[in-house]
Amino acid sequence: MSVIVRNPENQLLLLSKGADSVMFERLSKEGRMFEAQTREHIRNYAEAGLRTLVLAYRDLDEEEYKAWEEEFSRAKTSVAADHDALVDAACDKIERDLILLGATAVEDKLQKGVPECIDRLAQAGIKIWVLTGDKMETAINIGYACSLLRQGMKQIVITLDSQDIDVLRKQGDKEAIAKASCESIRKQIREGKSQLISAKENSVSFALIIDGESLSFALNKNLEKSFLELAIDCASVICCRSSPKQKALVTRLVKMGTGETTLAIGDGANDVGMLQEADIGVGVSGVEGMQAVMSSDFAIAQFRFLERLLLVHGHWCYRRISMMICYFFYKNIAFGFTLFWFEAYASFSGQPAYNDWYMSFYNVFFTSLPVIALGVFDQDVSARLCLKYPLLYQEGVQNILFSWPRILGWMSNGVISSIIIFFFTTKSIIPQAFRRDGQVTDFEVLGATMYTSVVWAVNCQIALSINYFTWIQHFFIWGSIIFWYIFLVIYGSLSPTVSTTAYRVLVEACAPSVLYWLATLLGVISTLLPYFSYRAFQTRFRPLYHDIIQQKRSEGLETDDTPNELPHRVRDKIQHLKMGLRRS
């Protein structure tokens, strides 16, 4: 970053600051007097975990500045497709032949809870990459501080700090430097892959560390595929001295190359491109301004809040939305197929099974509020247990709750429920004398009885599916059922020209009949039995991860807050999930 100023002596100065890997290349021969000492200072600062910058300046004369200003203005006002390239080229012309001033080092401590947050995210099976503008030594120190790098982890370092490259740099042949650099990166990536292959049987973890200059070559079309394969096989990846553009390119490479969902988190203006390129951008508000927050999808105050955003709210929201959508399929199929069976029973004569207002109000008043409560309030386990067992998050990553088998299972449950309701209702009340005077059931009573069974069944079904009850769920579920009876009384009391087939059907026909209440009760119980039996079998013999935790909590065994002491079945489930992650 550079700025041109005029001092009180009317002298034009170009003041520049940046990473050492970029600044040393732009120094003039006369401006390298203290280069060796500055490099040594920077290395010492970086090993101490400090963030370093190099400062340089240059004197400008009036003619040179005016000529450059015209060129720079033309580039800025250009509307061509290569606008950014023109601006960069103009800047490169003035940012050269600099005189080294020195270096700065700033301590930037990790926020509270960052190591623990990264450790929990890693336990959840989330691959974590660090894209930073710091020097390699600083980035490595930060990697150890935040538990991204661990003792015993082997490091694959890709860099262009070699004697051959340094010789070519001194000669100034840019084409030779680019060719040699590309071959060096290709060779280092190949060697890294061979290390991974040879260490597979030993279960040794690897960390990939690459600097910005090497990254610019690794992101070329010829090398990006092999670089991505190497990076994916490593447990941790650190890209240091990365420019904002490189951060965005790496994010795009991971997103497009793997097809996985990517999340980027940053707190500065140099993270904006990365945040916008990722599927999900999380901005951290802080002392570095609000640019990252304004460009992100979510904003948090500290990095450590990311674990709660993902492991707690992410898990809950995935479960709520999955259950809500599957339940929508279920309740509409259960209702719609009773119409189909009735039409088949009536030989497709066009005889309606339900009153028009019954069908209009089904998704508006009688079944809508409980599913909204499910999508807003349901929790399979508490927030404390979500953080204690991070692998719960894998239910969402592996899409266990919204897979095609699960969706088809809920749809099949809806078809089965409609069959049970229709045939149980028709076979139980049609052959019998429905009223005290011996009258049999007519289509109006049959429709009201079937509809009552459907309302009861779908609302009781959601009561079986909910894990976390509040008074709101109770109010919505049982209130929807009660509202059906209130509606039937009020609507049935209107004149026959308005209420048509619902005229006094509850007060005079259904309510006085014991058969109506008995058919409804037994029909609803029979409808709920298949799902209840399936869940009982699954919980006992093939439990999901949250089922095990719920069972331990109900037995009073889930009282320890230490995440390392897990119940035996939980440890087995974790091992199974880890094996699945390795295979994927």
Side-chain angles (χ1 to χ4, degrees), residues 3 134 150 169 177 199 218 254 324 348 371 373 375 421 431 446 481 570:
V3 60
D134 294 326
R150 297 179 295 276
R169 283 174 182 154
I177 294 173
V254 175
M324 187 174 69
F348 297 98
V371 73
I421 289 173
L446 178 63
I481 297 173
V570 176

Side-chain angles (χ1 to χ4, degrees), residues 75-111:
K76 285 181 66 177
T77 57
S78 172
V79 293
D82 57 347
H83 170 270
D84 293 339
L86 292 174
V87 173
D88 291 340
C91 292
D92 287 337
K93 286 186 178 181
I94 199 76
E95 292 175 332
R96 60 182 175 81
D97 298 332
L98 303 175
I99 299 174
L100 178 63
L101 284 172
T104 63
V106 179
E107 183 181 22
D108 189 10
K109 290 184 178 180
L110 287 175
Q111 292 181 356

Side-chain angles (χ1 to χ4, degrees), residues 19-38:
D20 57 339
S21 58
V22 177
M23 294 296 294
F24 285 136
E25 296 176 354
R26 301 170 185 264
L27 297 179
S28 64
K29 291 182 180 180
E30 298 79 14
R32 298 178 178 270
M33 185 180 301
F34 305 106
E35 181 180 357
Q37 297 95 315
T38 305

Side-chain angles (χ1 to χ4, degrees), residues 363-554:
N363 278 317
V364 178
F365 294 113
F366 305 138
T367 60
S368 62
L369 294 180
V371 73
I372 292 175
L374 171 70
V376 174
F377 299 109
D378 195 37
Q379 302 174 15
D380 55 343
V381 296
S382 65
R384 182 184 66 84
L385 293 179
C386 284
L387 295 175
K388 183 176 180 179
Y389 302 111
L391 269 177
L392 264 175
Y393 189 74
Q394 279 297 310
E395 288 188 345
V397 175
Q398 299 179 11
N399 205 22
I400 293 174
L401 303 179
F402 199 58
S403 59
W404 274 111
R406 192 169 182 88
I407 294 172
L408 294 175
W410 274 98
M411 295 172 70
S412 302
N413 187 27
V415 174
I416 293 171
S417 297
S418 68
I419 292 174
I420 294 174
I421 289 173
F422 174 78
F423 287 100
F424 189 93
T425 304
T426 54
K427 298 301 180 183
S428 62
I429 68 173
I430 287 182
Q432 311 295 330
F434 189 77
R435 302 189 185 186
R436 291 182 179 180
D437 57 3
Q439 289 187 23
V440 295
T441 305
D442 54 19
F443 284 131
E444 288 79 5
V445 173
L446 178 63
T449 307
M450 273 201 306
Y451 195 92
T452 302
S453 299
V454 170
V455 171
W456 268 98
V458 298
N459 281 291
C460 290
Q461 179 74 63
I462 203 170
L464 288 178
S465 304
I466 287 177
N467 295 282
Y468 179 74
F469 270 102
T470 65
W471 68 268
I472 298 175
Q473 278 102 325
H474 284 293
F475 178 77
F476 284 167
I477 292 172
W478 313 122
S480 297
I481 297 173
I482 294 171
F483 185 71
W484 155 243
Y485 290 109
I486 295 173
F487 165 79
L488 208 54
V489 171
I490 296 174
Y491 182 56
S493 64
L494 302 178
S495 65
T497 56
V498 177
S499 58
T500 61
T501 57
Y503 182 68
R504 295 189 175 276
V505 68
L506 178 66
V507 176
E508 293 186 356
C510 295
S513 173
V514 176
L515 189 58
Y516 166 77
W517 300 105
L518 195 60
T520 300
L521 175 63
L522 297 179
V524 170
I525 292 174
S526 303
T527 303
L528 298 177
L529 272 178
Y531 178 79
F532 182 82
S533 303
Y534 165 75
R535 281 294 292 145
F537 175 83
Q538 183 186 48
T539 304
R540 182 66 181 87
F541 298 105
R542 301 191 63 183
L544 298 176
Y545 191 42
H546 68 271
D547 292 330
I548 300 174
I549 297 174
Q550 288 176 345
Q551 184 177 352
K552 292 299 178 182
R553 182 168 176 78
S554 65

Side-chain angles (χ1 to χ4, degrees), residues 41 136 142 168:
H41 294 161
M136 184 176 290
I142 293 174
L168 291 173

